[in-house]
């Protein structure tokens, strides 16, 4: 009689609830002030992003549990708003304004120049983790058009050349900072 | 003419010093309201002054306040459980809409950065008249400096007793919270803004019920734009007659216009209503760069209307702009000279609405997408400077149909106005 070869079973080991441990202390301090208040969700997400630089999945799961919300609601809100990211951004978040005034003054050329310079597309980061590129609808600085915003600093009246120069400057600044940290 | 009524303090006072604000007549209006024996006259005054909302919809501010004051309280005590505890006992709310995301508009940022106490005072006055104990400022996430200054101003006002319990009299308590937006154009729509404050996706609600009946947390809510609030201390202090001295008969007062684009001196200028557009562009904003000619003017932001160069003499007031089928909108004026490529601008506008549509109602969700696709088909494979005759009539009809459906069937202002600028460019034959 032919015997069937014994089926190999993959071993699934239940390792317990991944959220069984209490939230990490830094998250705890953020959640503490807002526990049980579902209206504070956006504020909490903002604080988490300020701390980690982006919204890590595990932290969102903790948030949902601690605020007493379904995870789908947390993700629904987090994906709705443009300022939230789900992957770690570069050290310099470069945002190019694409509002009407900036467009008329040549922001399209700037974004092309930056794409060439950094060799990335919109919503991507350079492999060295230094730069991320984003476009925004309007920064509310139209009298300085075209505008470039790096982290929270606004650079007005840019041209493709000066935008590329700024990237060079930031790169040098970063190299100096790194050297200081190492020293 | 340029007239500094509400921007008088900008650049003159230190925005982080309440003493400076007090020295320039600050909190006199609130004092007057708190000392008055009856308060109905202030709302009547506001109505008589003819102040209309400066955010874009141009609804009478006085009427809005009156409706909110008269609204039936929807949730009598005991207050419902689902409202967060700290807001449960405010019978109404005062909200300041500082989510200024309209491309080409930056007046609210200047007001909040330059004179934050003025907005706080105006909100406190409104709260006193509407018996609200909680107010919100919904600030755009992209304005870090305004956030810093407002947070500081709120802290100082609390320390000095202009916010908190017992403001100027024993029976008045009011406090303001700042909520920061997270980058969504749609949250400038009032009901979407409420959803966002409540911690949800910023999707607009169906109206009616209007915010004055069921707004934030289903309570009567007075929501005004930053610039509208900035007018309130003046009207409260000086009265309707004094306010009506400025501007035209139907549009009293002043307006802040934000000139950007190809002008020599782009910036925000406060003008008396009825000032000709030509004066604003040529005198205040310094005209075009040498050897350039005017191609078009986009007035009212992305949801506004294009004007032809020969319409530059129109007086900037609600009634005269209405007469030529334009809108004042948020006060944005984008000047396009002959180097600007109209097709590029139109594609940019269409893409903006496609990206910013929240997706709740279908006419807008699909319409903005189709609008962009039609425009892309029109431009495909052709040079940007194509002849008028090259636009196929079927495509143009489709574009108009899409626009009409969006205007009639969309839930909120975003969809209703998404086709305005694009269709006006075709109507006025600005596309060559």
């Amino acid at each position: 009689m032919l015997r069937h070869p014994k089926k190999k079973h993959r071993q699934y080991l239940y390792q317990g609830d991944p959220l069984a441990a209490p939230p990490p202390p830094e998250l705890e301090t953020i959640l503490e002030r807002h526990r049980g208040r579902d209206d504070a969700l956006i504020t909490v997400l903002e604080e988490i992003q300020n701390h980690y630089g982006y919204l890590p999945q595990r932290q969102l799961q903790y948030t949902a549990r601690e605020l007493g919300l379904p995870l789908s609601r947390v993700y629904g809100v987090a994906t709705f708003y443009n300022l939230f990211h789900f992957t770690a951004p570069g050290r310099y978040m470069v945002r190019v304004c694409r509002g009407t005034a900036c467009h008329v003054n040549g922001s399209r050329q700037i974004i092309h120049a930056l794409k060439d310079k950094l060799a990335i597309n919109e919503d991507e980061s350079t492999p060295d983790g230094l730069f991320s590129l984003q476009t925004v609808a309007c920064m509310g600085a139209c009298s300085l058009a075209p505008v470039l915003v790096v982290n929270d600093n606004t650079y007005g009246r840019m041209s493709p050349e000066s935008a590329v120069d700024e990237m060079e400057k930031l790169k040098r600044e970063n190299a100096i900072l790194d050297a200081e940290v190492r020293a | 003419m340029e007239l500094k009524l509400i921007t008088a303090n900008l650049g003159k006072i230190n925005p982080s010093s309440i003493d400076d604000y007090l020295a320039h007549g600050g909190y006199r209006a609130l004092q007057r309201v708190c000392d008055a024996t009856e308060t109905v006259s202030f709302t009547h005054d506001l109505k008589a002054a003819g102040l209309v909302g400066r955010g874009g919809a141009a609804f009478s501010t006085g009427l809005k306040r009156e409706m909110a004051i008269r609204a039936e309280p929807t949730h009598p005590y005991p207050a419902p459980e689902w409202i967060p505890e700290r807001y449960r006992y405010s019978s109404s709310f005062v909200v300041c809409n500082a989510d200024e995301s309209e491309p080409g508009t930056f007046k609210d940022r200047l007001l909040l950065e330059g004179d934050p106490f003025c907005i706080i005072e105006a909100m406190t006055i409104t709260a006193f008249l509407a018996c609200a104990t909680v107010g919100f400022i919904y600030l755009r996430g992209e304005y870090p400096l305004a956030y810093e200054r407002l947070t500081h101003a709120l802290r100082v006002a609390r320390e000095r007793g202009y916010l908190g319990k017992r403001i100027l009299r024993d029976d008045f308590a009011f406090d303001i919270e700042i909520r920061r937006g997270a980058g969504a154009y749609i949250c400038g729509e009032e009901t979407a803004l409420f959803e966002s404050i409540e911690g949800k996706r910023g999707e607009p609600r169906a109206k009616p019920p209007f915010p004055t009946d069921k707004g934030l947390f289903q309570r009567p809510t007075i929501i005004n734009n930053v610039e509208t609030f900035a007018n309130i201390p003046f009207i409260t202090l000086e009265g309707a007659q004094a306010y009506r001295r400025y501007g035209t008969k139907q549009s009293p007062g002043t307006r802040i216009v934000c000139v950007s684009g190809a002008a020599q001196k782009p910036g925000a200028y406060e003008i008396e209503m009825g000032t000709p557009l030509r004066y604003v562009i040529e005198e205040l904003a310094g005209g075009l760069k040498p050897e350039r000619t005017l191609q078009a003017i986009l007035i009212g932001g992305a949801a506004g209307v294009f004007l032809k160069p020969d319409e530059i003499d129109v007086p900037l007031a609600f009634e005269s702009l209405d007469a030529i089928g334009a809108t004042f909108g948020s006060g944005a004026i984008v000047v396009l000279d002959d180097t600007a490529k109209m097709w590029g601008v139109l594609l940019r506008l269409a893409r903006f609405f496609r990206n910013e549509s929240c997706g709740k109602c279908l006419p807008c969700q699909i319409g903005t997408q189709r609008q962009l696709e039609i425009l892309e088909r029109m431009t495909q494979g052709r040079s940007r400077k194509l002849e008028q005759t090259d636009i196929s009539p079927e495509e143009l009809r489709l574009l108009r149909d899409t626009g009409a459906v969006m205007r009639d069937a969309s839930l909120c202002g975003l969809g209703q106005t998404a086709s305005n600028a694009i269709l006006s460019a075709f109507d006025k034959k600005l596309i060559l």
Side-chain angles (χ1 to χ4, degrees):
Chain A
M1 209 173 86
L2 250 166
R3 285 187 62 183
H4 289 286
K6 210 175 180 182
K7 263 189 183 170
K8 278 185 180 171
H9 286 285
R10 266 178 76 183
Q11 291 283 307
Y12 288 104
L13 277 177
Y14 180 66
Q15 293 177 329
D17 179 7
L19 299 181
E26 68 274 9
L27 186 63
E28 184 65 42
T29 51
I30 294 172
L31 290 171
E32 204 170 25
R33 277 169 281 150
H34 307 289
R35 192 154 280 140
R37 284 182 56 201
D38 58 352
D39 67 302
L41 178 56
I42 295 172
T43 315
V44 172
L45 292 179
E46 248 162 41
E47 285 173 15
I48 293 176
Q49 178 154 306
N50 282 346
H51 188 273
Y52 295 93
Y54 68 110
L55 298 177
Q57 189 184 348
R58 177 62 57 85
Q59 267 63 19
L60 288 182
Q61 291 168 342
Y62 274 123
T63 306
R65 192 185 67 183
E66 299 295 318
L67 294 184
L69 297 170
L71 188 59
S72 60
R73 162 98 183 266
V74 174
Y75 265 90
V77 169
T79 50
F80 186 85
Y81 297 96
N82 292 337
L83 287 185
F84 295 130
H85 330 287
F86 298 93
T87 51
R91 179 173 290 179
Y92 298 108
M93 170 64 90
V94 181
R95 292 187 284 172
V96 183
C97 180
R98 297 288 280 122
T100 327
C102 290
H103 177 85
V104 172
N105 286 324
S107 72
R108 193 152 166 263
Q109 284 77 2
I110 293 178
I111 187 102
H112 282 311
L114 288 180
K115 276 183 190 172
D116 285 350
K117 167 75 191 164
L118 304 173
I120 49 172
N121 269 319
E122 280 165 45
D123 301 321
E124 287 179 5
S125 303
T126 49
D128 57 359
L130 210 50
F131 294 101
S132 297
L133 195 59
Q134 260 196 338
T135 55
V136 286
C138 181
M139 292 301 305
C142 314
S143 53
L144 298 174
V147 177
L148 188 72
V149 178
V150 181
N151 297 342
D152 274 344
N153 302 323
T154 309
Y155 299 82
R157 299 194 204 283
M158 297 309 274
S159 67
E161 297 77 38
S162 58
V164 169
D165 282 353
E166 288 300 336
M167 296 303 114
E168 285 291 342
K169 263 188 221 161
L170 288 174
K171 228 179 209 175
R172 280 200 297 275
E173 185 193 302
N174 182 65
I176 295 168
L177 281 177
D178 272 1
E180 272 174 16
V181 169
R182 259 184 251 118
Chain B
M1 303 303 111
E2 199 174 9
L3 175 68
K4 294 199 167 174
L5 203 66
I6 58 177
T7 55
N9 283 345
L10 294 195
K12 245 193 229 163
I13 66 164
N14 176 359
S16 42
S17 152
I18 196 167
D19 291 311
D20 220 7
Y21 181 65
L22 287 169
H24 282 79
Y27 281 110
R28 284 213 334 260
L30 181 65
Q31 185 74 53
R32 182 155 184 250
V33 171
C34 286
D35 290 343
T37 44
E38 50 88 35
T39 55
V40 190
S41 65
F42 291 107
T43 302
H44 282 316
D45 235 26
L46 189 61
K47 247 171 93 182
L51 175 67
V52 297
R54 301 297 199 226
F59 187 77
S60 161
T61 311
L63 194 60
K64 193 187 263 181
R65 188 196 279 175
E66 194 181 68
M67 280 158 67
I69 291 173
R70 279 197 194 152
E72 290 282 313
T74 38
H75 287 298
Y77 289 82
E81 281 290 305
W82 61 270
I83 300 183
E85 190 169 355
R86 65 167 91 177
Y87 312 129
R88 219 172 275 167
Y89 304 104
S90 185
S91 59
S92 60
F93 295 101
V94 175
V95 181
C96 174
N97 185 347
D99 188 62
E100 177 183 57
S101 326
E102 191 71 46
T105 317
F106 45 97
K107 61 187 171 69
D108 297 351
R109 179 172 62 84
L110 297 179
L111 283 171
L112 290 171
E113 287 175 3
D115 200 4
F117 288 107
C118 172
I119 310 298
I120 295 171
E121 183 187 359
M123 287 180 71
T124 316
I125 293 170
T126 312
F128 180 73
L129 300 175
C131 301
T133 57
V134 181
F136 289 92
I137 297 177
Y138 190 89
L139 182 70
R140 234 191 128 180
E142 282 91 342
Y143 290 170
L145 182 63
Y147 179 70
E148 214 172 275
R149 296 215 170 137
L150 269 175
T151 321
H152 176 81
L154 289 176
R155 201 178 57 236
V156 174
R158 250 171 241 138
E159 280 165 12
R160 294 298 198 84
Y162 288 108
L163 281 179
K165 287 171 187 161
R166 293 190 198 89
I167 305 172
L168 300 182
R169 54 192 276 168
D170 282 344
D171 58 352
F172 178 36
F174 178 63
D175 209 338
I176 298 176
E177 256 185 53
I178 306 186
R179 288 300 177 88
R180 290 182 82 179
Y185 173 70
I186 185 67
C187 286
E189 205 278 339
E190 45 190 19
T191 52
L193 191 151
F194 297 152
E195 293 282 311
S196 185
I197 292 182
E198 289 175 20
K200 299 175 196 153
R201 292 163 67 95
E203 290 175 347
R205 303 171 185 164
K207 285 189 266 187
F210 290 99
T212 45
D213 288 322
K214 289 187 176 184
L216 188 57
F217 299 116
Q218 300 295 313
R219 295 279 169 88
T221 304
I222 299 179
I223 175 165
N224 282 328
N225 179 260
V226 176
E227 193 191 342
T228 318
F229 271 123
N231 279 294
I232 285 178
F234 179 86
I235 298 175
T236 314
L237 210 53
E238 311 282 339
Q241 283 307 317
Y243 190 72
R244 278 200 169 271
R245 277 210 311 273
Y246 307 107
T248 64
K249 201 156 183 296
Q250 279 134 313
S251 329
T254 62
R255 182 84 212 245
I256 306 178
V257 289
C258 310
V259 188
S260 59
Q264 294 248 45
K265 288 191 290 173
Y269 301 96
E270 185 177 6
I271 54 158
E272 196 173 353
M273 287 277 191
T275 305
L277 181 56
R278 181 187 290 277
Y279 178 83
V280 172
I281 291 176
E282 290 182 357
E283 300 294 321
L284 297 178
L288 297 174
K289 296 190 179 91
E291 317 217 336
R292 300 271 178 87
T293 50
L294 187 63
Q295 184 179 187
I297 301 155
L298 177 61
I299 184 163
V305 163
F306 281 104
L307 294 182
K308 285 187 289 185
D310 58 0
E311 287 171 315
I312 194 174
D313 283 308
V314 64
L316 291 173
F318 291 105
E319 67 277 7
S320 48
L321 284 169
D322 265 354
I324 60 163
T327 144
F328 218 144
S330 59
I333 295 176
V334 184
V335 183
L336 308 179
D337 65 12
D338 54 343
T339 58
K341 294 186 175 103
M342 272 312 263
W343 277 110
V345 175
L346 290 193
L347 279 173
R348 188 61 229 145
L349 287 174
R351 203 160 283 147
F352 169 73
F353 282 114
R354 197 270 315 260
N355 291 344
E356 297 298 336
S357 171
C358 76
K360 181 173 182 179
C361 70
L362 284 181
C364 170
Q365 182 198 21
I366 298 174
T368 49
Q369 177 68 36
R370 292 289 173 265
Q371 179 171 271
L372 176 64
E373 286 168 9
I374 295 169
L375 281 175
E376 274 174 347
R377 277 206 300 277
M378 282 174 159
T379 50
Q380 223 167 40
R382 292 167 170 170
S383 76
R384 293 283 161 93
K385 288 245 175 203
L386 80 177
E387 295 298 317
Q388 175 68 35
T389 46
D390 281 349
I391 300 168
S392 93
E394 292 90 64
E395 293 279 39
L396 192 56
R397 200 164 58 233
L398 200 56
L399 191 65
R400 283 185 204 285
D401 280 354
T402 314
V405 169
M406 278 197 283
R407 187 174 58 241
D408 294 342
S410 294
L411 203 55
C412 78
L414 190 148
Q416 287 162 12
T417 57
S419 59
N420 274 6
I422 291 160
L423 288 182
S424 77
F426 284 97
D427 287 341
K428 300 195 172 175
K429 310 225 180 305
L430 287 165
I431 297 277
L432 286 174

